[in-house]
Amino acid sequence: MNCQGRVSPGTAVVLLHGSHGQYKTLLQNSTEWHCVPNISANKMAPFSCSSDQPTALQEKFTTWQCDSVMSQGKGRGWMCCPKGWKRFQKSCYFLSPDKMSWVESEQNCTGMGSHLAVINSREEQVFLFGQIKQPSRGENFYIGLRASSVDQWQWVDKTPYNVSATFWRKGKPSDHNDENCVVMYRDSELPNNWNNVRCLIYHRICEAAAVTV
Ligand code: CA
């Protein structure tokens, strides 16, 4: 993320839109922040920047939702996700309204600077379970787990497939050799909602690291 005085045009920097008065209003109301290309240094909000290179996620989105958080050793800061994404701990998630194949889903996530969701903990699983349970959500959501051959499960980001941190539904994964993709299935019992399926078209959950400022 670029910092005061050296903002390059078009860079995805988490900045506030408008005057200092709007800054306060935004913080008090929804904490919605905007990326403003070509902003002049004197309009920049007074917060520090965490790194010099914007992440792929930062480059793709211009409107952000930020929460005030206590970060270790740094005092109070902000954690930001693109508007419309959900933040949990240090990740942002996008739950798609549309459906695609698994490969297209992963490509779509990558195109947004993210990847299909990788489940690293029970807490993350429970959070996402709660998200897909919400009314108006779809029934099946791809996550970033796929089998290259029967029982060879692989996460998209090369996280080792850890049997102790899996959340298969009862009787799953089935050993049908054409059911190599994994969805979270809405109507399951907490927390086990993974289902291996044929790689047809389903919704998707994309995940990216939240932006810290
Ligand atoms: Ca994760």
Side-chain angles (χ1 to χ4, degrees):
M1 182 172 301
N2 286 357
C3 294
Q4 284 189 348
R6 48 191 180 96
V7 179
S8 54
T11 308
V13 180
V14 181
L15 290 174
L16 299 172
H17 195 55
S19 68
H20 197 66
Q22 286 169 308
Y23 169 58
K24 284 185 177 170
T25 304
L26 286 167
L27 295 185
Q28 286 167 2
N29 292 343
S30 66
T31 65
E32 180 177 304
W33 296 3
H34 295 262
C35 173
V36 186
N38 288 319
I39 196 164
S40 63
N42 63 9
K43 284 186 180 173
M44 290 187 65
F47 55 76
S48 62
C49 310
S50 57
S51 68
D52 288 324
Q53 286 299 320
T55 64
L57 191 72
Q58 282 171 271
E59 288 176 337
K60 301 289 179 188
F61 293 93
T62 57
T63 308
W64 296 77
Q65 203 80 29
C66 303
D67 302 317
S68 179
V69 292
M70 281 301 287
S71 57
Q72 261 187 345
K74 291 183 182 171
R76 188 155 286 280
W78 299 88
M79 292 196 88
C80 304
C81 288
K83 189 179 180 190
W85 292 47
K86 305 287 179 188
R87 185 176 71 82
F88 177 69
Q89 295 179 347
K90 293 180 177 177
S91 286
C92 304
Y93 302 92
F94 172 73
L95 287 90
S96 80
D98 60 321
K99 301 180 189 177
M100 298 176 177
S101 72
W102 191 94
V103 170
E104 289 169 333
S105 295
E106 175 57 9
Q107 287 170 350
N108 177 272
C109 293
T110 305
M112 293 192 292
S114 62
H115 54 73
L116 279 172
V118 172
I119 312 307
N120 305 97
S121 67
R122 181 185 168 93
E123 290 73 25
E124 183 176 26
Q125 168 70 17
V126 169
F127 170 77
L128 291 174
F129 191 108
Q131 289 296 312
I132 70 168
K133 277 280 190 189
Q134 290 181 5
S136 83
R137 293 276 194 226
E139 194 172 37
N140 288 290
F141 285 79
Y142 276 134
I143 59 175
L145 186 61
R146 193 170 62 151
S148 53
S149 59
V150 175
D151 286 341
Q152 291 292 310
W153 298 102
Q154 294 183 336
W155 288 107
V156 285
D157 70 347
K158 313 287 188 226
T159 294
Y161 176 72
N162 181 345
V163 176
S164 68
T166 60
F167 300 93
W168 295 104
R169 296 184 74 205
K170 195 166 190 282
K172 299 292 178 175
S174 58
D175 56 6
H176 299 146
N177 60 13
D178 61 346
E179 296 186 345
N180 291 340
C181 290
V182 180
V183 292
M184 284 194 177
Y185 175 61
R186 184 181 56 199
D187 299 319
S188 305
E189 286 184 29
L190 189 74
N192 291 42
N193 67 356
W194 297 4
N195 207 2
N196 63 315
V197 293
R198 292 169 63 197
C199 303
L200 305 176
I201 60 167
Y202 295 110
H203 301 280
R204 63 191 172 280
I205 305 175
C206 301
E207 178 182 4
V211 173
T212 306
V213 294

